[in-house]
Amino acid sequence: MPAYFVVELEITNMAGGEAYRAAVPATIAQYGGRYLARGGATELVEGGPEPKRIVILEFADAAALKRWYNSPEYQKILPGRLANSTGRAFIVEGV
């Protein structure tokens, strides 16, 4: 069953996160993932607050997603996102 990595974040330092944004696509592809959404326009229809930026990745399953997330390639660049944004990330299992 597919699994999705969902990140809701606010970028606090656009220039500081550039190296992360440039490097992350290759790590995702290397572990069989793909982007479904990468910071496109959002429209709040219920609740709040308004989301700042949403990224959604799809992997074949949760195990593949965790292999990517815990991989040396991703862990090497992850501090670039964490240091230049605030937010939360979570795994959602598909149907």
Side-chain angles (χ1 to χ4, degrees):
M1 124 180 12
Y4 304 94
F5 184 71
V6 180
V7 182
E8 177 184 28
L9 68 144
E10 180 175 2
I11 297 173
T12 56
N13 180 355
M14 186 66 79
E18 185 55 40
Y20 171 84
R21 285 187 301 281
V24 73
T27 70
I28 294 165
Q30 179 180 350
Y31 286 87
R34 69 183 182 116
Y35 283 101
L36 296 182
R38 190 178 187 191
T42 61
E43 179 182 348
L44 185 67
V45 295
E46 289 185 18
E50 186 77 37
K52 303 292 184 191
R53 182 177 179 91
I54 303 291
V55 176
I56 304 171
L57 306 178
E58 180 183 50
F59 288 84
D61 54 35
L65 190 161
K66 290 175 184 178
R67 277 192 299 278
W68 162 74
Y69 187 85
N70 294 310
S71 71
E73 297 85 0
Y74 186 65
Q75 289 298 306
K76 180 179 177 180
I77 64 172
L78 178 57
R81 176 173 64 82
L82 298 176
N84 296 291
S85 66
T86 60
R88 59 191 185 140
F90 45 94
I91 297 171
V92 179
E93 288 191 356
V95 293

